[in-house]
Every structure is written in C-alpha cells, then in structure tokens.
Amino acid sequence: MKKIFAIALGVLTAIGGFVDIGDIVANGEAGARFGISHAWVLLVGVIGICAYAEMSGRVSTVSARPVFDLVRERLGPRVALANLTGSLLVTVLTLGAEIGGVGLALQLATSVHYLLWVPVVAFVLWVALWRVKFSVLENVFGLLGLFLIVFVIAFFRLPADTAELWSQATRPGPPQGEDWGTYWFFAVALFASALTPYEVFFFSSGAVEERWTSKDLLTSRVNVFLGFPLGGLLAFALMLTSAVVFHPLSASVDNLSQVALPTAMALGKLGLAAAILGFFGATFGAAMETSLSAGYTVAQYFGWSWGKFHRPREAARFHTVVIVSILTGAAVLLTSIDPIQLTEYTLVFSAVALPLTYLPIFVVANDREYLGDRANGRLANTIGVLYLFIVLAAAIAAIPLMIITRMGGG
C-alpha cells in the first residue's frame, strides 16, 4: 500500500501539469475547433515531460538535493536568477488562474459566482499548505483528480465517427474555416502546458520532501512513466469528447460547463458530478503545486530552509513566500480577469520560459560530479537535445503567434 501511495506524487504532478484550468478549456476548445488533429502535440508533450522529469527525479534521488539548488551551484547565481525570475512570474500567474479554476468548479456545483469563492479557496489553500502533511496532500488531491477518468468512460458511451477521428489524428492540420497560424498557436499552447516549468521543480522538490534516496530511483521512474502518461491520457480524453460532441456542429467551447457537457450527455448527473469533482481535484492540486513551487524556487535560490518536512517556524521565509504568492494570485483574480484567459496567457509565457528551465536541468543531469554513473546516458541525451531544439522553437514562435492570431481568436 505504501508503494501504491508513493505513485501519488507523479499522479498529482501530472494532473496538475496536464489538466489545470487552462488546459481543461484549451483541450476542450482545441477539440471543438480542430477535432483531434492536435493529438500528436499531446504525445510529443508527454514524451518531453517524461524525459525531463526523469532527469530531475534522478538528480534529486541520487544527490538528495532539488534540481534548482544544483542549478544555482552548477551554473552560478546569474543563470539561476534568470531561471527564477521567468519561472516565478509564470508560476504565480498560474497560481491565480488555478485558484480561479477551483472557484469555477465550485460555481458549477453551487451556482455561486466564482469570485465569491476566491477568498475562501485562497484561505483553505493556505491552511492546507500550512498544516497538512505533504503525503496527505498528494494522496488526496492526486486521487481526486483521477475522477477525470469519467471523460474516458464518456467517450465510449458517446456516438462517435471513429473513421473521421482517425483521419483527424493521422492527417493533422486546420479544418475548413481555420488557418495554420491558429492551428500552430494551439499547438504551442498545448505543448507548453505539458512542460510548464513548475512541474519539474515541484517533482524534484517533492522527491526531497519524501526523502527519496538512490534506492528509490525505481519509484521515481514509476511515478514519471505512469503519472505523466496518465495526465496526458486525461488531457486527450477532454479533447476527444469535445471533438465528438462539438466539432461536427462547428460549436465553440470557452467555459468549464461546456467542457463538462459530454459527461452529462453520456452518463447523466452522475457523470457530471464526477467531472466537477475531477475539475476540483485537478485545479486544487495544481494550486498546491504552484504555491509550493513558488516557495521552493525562491528558498532554494537564497539557501533558506524550505519544505513541509520542516515545521513552519523552522522554514518561516519559505512559508512567507507561499503565502505572498497565494495572496498575489488571489489579488490578480479579484481584478475580475477571467481565470481561463489568464491561464492561456501564462501558457504562452511558459513557452517563452521553457529554455531557461530545461537547459539547466539537462546540464545538471550530465554532471558526473553529482550523479556519478547515474548521469545521462546516450538515449537520455539524444532525447534531451532534441527537446531543447523543440522548446527553443516554441519559445521563439509563442509571442508572434499570440499577436498574429489574437490569442487564437483567428
């Protein structure tokens, strides 16, 4: 049972990375507008995050230190500061969107406007991160997010033109009425959502929180190669059900209730309830990830005590950063900016920040001073270099595509 729950770290990280509030709607909108012609992007994203999460987990289990700590030591404070600045900005903005996402899930369940839930969610999030053990958080919300499996079940209950879906997946491109610019904008956004910077920092720091050692390397890899593909499967199920229901009607998807509609059509009220519970678990889990990641990166850069394995009094500065990040995220939301739109912006900024995140991880994972014979082998380096070129291309293309397509509006 202990080994089973150990997998929850990868499940929580994967769900928080693949299926946060922006990704829920982005996959729904992509499915409605393009069918499943972006399925290849999810596959590329899963392979990339598996490769780099495996590196970061291996670094942490072998060295007993988080990746960001080693990045600062290995590459110096200036490179680490650039990494910190870019990732922290994206992480805090994403945190605000996730708090809003929890509010939207609660609005679906209660009909109370999401902005009224924002202060409540922020307070509960702070209390949970202050008082509840890390293992409890990852187990509870990792498992709650698994309720999104209802979208997989819903697909098999919906009438689907499988030949058309297969054609969309094997012949990717924009359908009639869409253009290549918008198609590639969604591709970059979906790719960035799979490799958001906070994922690897959270996973690496979580490995230290769990006190993994080199003996736990297998557990780390099981987390990566089970958790992240599972997150990718749930993201694909969101795209797939939206493609089945909305794409034939040329209908658009731009809010959470529309994304949930296929589950209600296929499974009735129970399906809808499961979808809402999954939305809540995924977005609250992502809010925890981003809150902790903000604290992790700042504390590790400055050399402070950090982590929930310390009592709050012993890691006061770490917890202060977490609280300030939550308050900042909530304050951004209370300007009444739409949380879904906010997350879509952060996905673009995440794409820009990707090289600053993944190049240092690649360098550290090749350092035999830290890892000895556990340093990257030929396969890891081949995949790692290939993805460095891909993330660089995504970073270069993100802003121009955002401007040209008006955030995918065409």
Side-chain angles (χ1 to χ4, degrees):
M1 184 63 69
K2 185 177 180 181
K3 291 292 184 181
I4 293 173
F5 279 121
I7 298 172
L9 176 61
V11 172
L12 176 60
T13 307
I15 291 173
F18 275 93
V19 201
D20 63 7
I21 183 58
D23 301 323
I24 288 170
V25 176
N27 277 284
E29 186 176 0
R33 293 178 61 174
F34 300 95
I36 60 169
S37 64
H38 284 103
W40 66 271
V41 180
L42 295 181
L43 179 61
V44 171
V46 167
I47 295 171
I49 192 59
C50 282
Y52 275 91
E54 191 280 329
M55 290 183 206
S56 64
R58 174 160 36 90
V59 167
S60 294
T61 54
V62 173
S63 67
R65 295 170 64 185
V67 166
F68 198 88
D69 185 22
L70 295 180
V71 167
R72 187 185 190 284
E73 181 178 302
R74 177 67 174 79
L75 300 179
R78 291 184 179 179
V79 173
L81 182 60
N83 191 333
L84 173 65
T85 302
S87 64
L88 185 62
L89 174 62
V90 171
T91 299
V92 172
L93 289 176
T94 304
L95 169 58
E98 302 309 336
I99 293 173
V102 179
L104 289 173
L106 292 171
Q107 177 178 299
L108 273 179
T110 64
S111 298
V112 176
H113 195 276
Y114 79 90
L115 281 177
L116 296 177
W117 284 110
V118 167
V120 178
V121 173
F123 177 74
V124 171
L125 177 62
W126 168 68
V127 171
L129 295 178
W130 181 269
R131 301 296 300 175
V132 182
K133 291 182 179 180
F134 184 88
S135 58
V136 174
L137 292 176
E138 65 173 351
N139 291 337
V140 170
F141 290 97
L143 295 176
L144 274 180
L146 289 178
F147 273 90
L148 290 174
I149 202 76
V150 70
F151 283 90
V152 178
I153 299 170
F155 168 70
F156 289 103
R157 296 290 299 272
L158 291 168
D161 185 344
T162 54
E164 174 61 21
L165 292 172
W166 178 253
S167 176
Q168 294 167 6
T170 55
R171 299 176 182 177
Q176 187 175 1
E178 300 286 353
D179 59 71
W180 279 101
T182 306
Y183 178 85
W184 281 108
F185 172 81
F186 273 89
V188 169
L190 290 169
F191 177 73
S193 73
L195 285 91
T196 43
Y198 71 83
E199 290 181 74
V200 287
F201 295 139
F202 175 82
F203 185 70
S204 169
S205 300
V208 178
E209 292 261 29
E210 294 282 12
R211 294 181 170 85
W212 286 353
T213 66
S214 56
K215 295 180 180 179
D216 297 297
L217 191 57
L218 177 60
T219 300
S220 174
R221 286 172 172 164
V222 170
N223 269 264
V224 169
F225 295 118
L226 178 62
F228 286 101
L230 175 59
L233 172 64
L234 298 179
F236 179 59
L238 290 163
M239 181 187 294
L240 192 58
T241 52
S242 185
V244 170
V245 173
F246 298 109
H247 185 62
L249 304 175
S250 298
S252 62
V253 169
D254 54 17
N255 62 62
L256 204 59
S257 61
Q258 290 173 311
V259 178
L261 182 60
T263 63
M265 293 173 61
L267 302 166
K269 291 182 179 179
L270 286 178
L272 179 60
I276 293 173
L277 191 57
F279 290 158
F280 174 80
T283 52
F284 201 94
M288 290 192 305
E289 281 192 39
T290 47
S291 301
L292 288 172
S293 293
Y296 289 150
T297 53
V298 173
Q300 289 162 17
Y301 178 82
F302 288 105
W304 302 337
S305 295
W306 60 272
K308 291 181 63 58
F309 54 85
H310 288 297
R311 293 180 178 179
R313 186 179 300 176
E314 298 171 351
R317 288 176 290 190
F318 162 75
H319 280 281
T320 298
V321 174
V322 171
I323 294 168
V324 170
S325 299
I326 292 172
L327 291 175
T328 302
V332 170
L333 271 180
L334 292 175
T335 63
S336 75
I337 186 172
D338 184 86
I340 295 168
Q341 184 180 30
L342 175 62
T343 307
E344 290 173 348
Y345 276 109
T346 64
L347 290 178
V348 175
F349 298 144
S350 291
V352 175
L354 289 178
L356 291 173
T357 300
Y358 288 100
L359 176 59
I361 292 173
F362 182 75
V363 171
V364 171
N366 274 283
D367 197 319
R368 294 191 177 276
E369 181 180 342
Y370 296 126
L371 302 184
D373 60 359
R374 298 290 190 180
N376 277 3
R378 183 175 298 176
L379 177 62
N381 277 334
T382 300
I383 296 174
V385 170
L386 173 62
Y387 272 85
L388 287 178
F389 282 109
I390 295 174
V391 298
L392 181 61
I396 293 171
I399 298 297
L401 285 172
M402 180 183 72
I403 296 171
I404 293 169
T405 66
R406 299 193 298 268
M407 284 295 295

